Amino acid sequence: MTRGPFMQLSKEFHQYRKLEQLVENKTSYQLEHAELHIFETHEVAEKISLKFDAPVLATMMQGKKIMQLNEGKSFNFLPSESLLLLPETPMLIDFPEASFQNPTRCLAMTISEEKIKEILQLINERFKSREENEWLMSRINFHFKHDYALQQVLQHILLIFTEDHPTKDLFLDFALKELLIRILQHEKKAQYEKGEQAIYSNNRVAFIMQYIQQHLDEPLDIKTLSQKVYMSESHFHRVFKNEVGISPIEYLIEKRISKARNLLQNPEIPIKEVYLACGFNNISYFNRQFKRKNHCSPKTFRNQFL
């Protein structure tokens, strides 16, 4: 599969940044409530250590890193992915593909604790319903992939920092609110999908996410799902989207397509059996949804594994 799209840097960045070293060259920007650092590596390197003394959002812009956190298992870090890291988290980084023509680029942004607390208080006071738990920042390192909306927010923040504009702090204030809400939604979604009994037995959104994953091959719609958690259709739709960031039906399609990708890797399973096992009742609708999520047809996807 192709990697996510590269994030674009402003003309001002390329005009004024100084290339002083080939491994983890750092260009920094500072605004009132946040700092942003762009790291560039122009040659293959191994076991580069890095650590921040504050919570940091690290986002891959271009290229590939192999990351190891807290002496744990290594993993690939690719464009359209981010890491939310706790302070003092030790990182060991390899750059297997970096070159002068195609550097590896990553941004690292820190946000003041006061600003984070202010935004969380706003969210909990104005948007949290009785069904939702209080929104809190992560107490663990969190690796996640972007959806389209989060990718656009991060692109906007990157341009705010790197362009020359007199109202940058005001623009950033608005963008940080959206950024934190979308990250919290990604984290809640990941927590609920783990299926921990203590979570989904006491939370209706977590329960229904587990129900969806366990019944992907069955006919499911908003009416059926809302009845399972004793909520009206409109209220269920609003609460689910507030917590997870996407609608219940979009989440259902996402999980069905994910299951289809796994099944398509086995060439012995006919495509008709694949889409029926994933809850799709006709091939044309399955093809449309698969292409929308993967930018290729099910047949093209399967051919990668033949």
Side-chain angles (χ1 to χ4, degrees), residues 24-35:
E24 290 292 70
N25 187 77
K26 183 170 73 170
T27 305
S28 298
Y29 303 85
Q30 184 171 1
L31 293 177
E32 184 177 359
H33 298 296
E35 293 183 1

Side-chain angles (χ1 to χ4, degrees), residues 56-296:
V56 63
L57 177 69
T59 297
M60 278 298 290
M61 300 170 58
Q62 178 174 321
K64 175 182 177 180
K65 291 183 179 182
I66 299 176
M67 303 283 295
Q68 185 181 30
L69 307 179
N70 295 315
E71 299 183 352
K73 185 177 180 181
S74 298
F75 60 92
N76 291 338
F77 193 27
L78 302 171
S80 295
E81 296 180 0
S82 286
L83 279 165
L84 191 60
L85 298 169
L86 299 178
E88 303 297 334
T89 298
M91 292 176 270
L92 204 60
I93 311 169
D94 293 343
F95 301 85
E97 300 177 358
S99 68
F100 200 83
Q101 293 75 23
N102 293 293
T104 297
R105 289 195 176 107
C106 178
L107 68 80
M109 181 170 63
T110 60
I111 307 170
S112 71
E113 292 187 17
E114 293 77 12
K115 191 63 181 177
I116 292 173
K117 290 177 181 178
E118 174 192 320
I119 295 173
L120 287 175
Q121 183 177 358
L122 174 69
I123 296 170
N124 285 315
E125 287 179 354
R126 297 180 60 180
F127 302 109
K128 185 177 74 68
S129 71
R130 289 179 298 175
E131 285 78 13
E132 298 170 305
N133 298 323
E134 187 177 22
W135 292 45
L136 300 169
M137 288 303 292
S138 177
R139 295 186 178 90
I140 61 172
N141 296 320
F142 177 42
H143 179 205
F144 58 100
K145 295 182 179 181
H146 306 161
D147 57 16
Y148 177 80
L150 181 56
Q151 182 82 0
Q152 295 304 304
V153 176
L154 288 165
Q155 176 68 74
H156 182 51
I157 287 174
L158 176 63
L159 292 177
I160 289 172
F161 271 101
T162 57
E163 70 178 352
D164 184 16
H165 199 287
T167 58
K168 290 166 69 168
D169 280 301
L170 180 60
F171 290 161
L172 184 64
D173 187 66
F174 292 131
L176 288 179
K177 291 182 175 67
E178 181 177 359
L179 175 68
L180 288 183
I181 290 172
R182 293 194 182 279
I183 290 175
L184 288 166
Q185 289 172 332
H186 273 68
E187 187 175 26
K188 281 201 171 190
K189 179 182 174 184
Q191 289 174 345
Y192 293 166
E193 287 182 339
K194 289 179 181 178
E196 297 172 5
Q197 186 66 33
I199 296 177
Y200 71 77
S201 63
N202 296 305
N203 183 286
R204 289 192 274 187
V205 172
F207 169 81
I208 209 65
M209 289 172 71
Q210 287 297 309
Y211 182 87
I212 286 172
Q213 292 185 72
Q214 294 164 4
H215 299 82
L216 289 174
D217 60 335
E218 300 176 13
L220 296 174
D221 54 26
I222 283 286
K223 181 178 180 180
T224 301
L225 297 174
S226 61
Q227 288 176 345
K228 291 290 179 182
V229 288
Y230 306 101
M231 299 168 72
S232 70
E233 294 179 33
S234 59
H235 186 53
F236 168 66
H237 184 278
R238 185 184 67 80
V239 169
F240 190 102
K241 192 166 185 177
N242 280 352
E243 288 252 5
V244 183
I246 57 177
S247 71
I249 297 304
E250 187 64 23
Y251 180 77
L252 171 62
I253 293 171
E254 179 183 291
K255 294 293 105 180
R256 284 175 165 168
I257 294 299
S258 178
K259 181 179 179 180
R261 283 197 298 266
N262 290 332
L263 293 176
L264 286 167
Q265 294 177 41
N266 183 349
E268 296 183 1
I269 304 177
I271 288 182
K272 182 176 181 179
E273 287 186 21
V274 170
Y275 75 75
L276 291 175
C278 298
F280 295 98
N281 53 23
N282 70 76
I283 186 66
S284 59
Y285 181 65
F286 171 59
N287 282 336
R288 286 200 307 273
Q289 295 299 329
F290 195 94
K291 287 180 181 178
R292 185 169 69 91
K293 293 289 186 180
N294 298 278
H295 308 292
C296 68

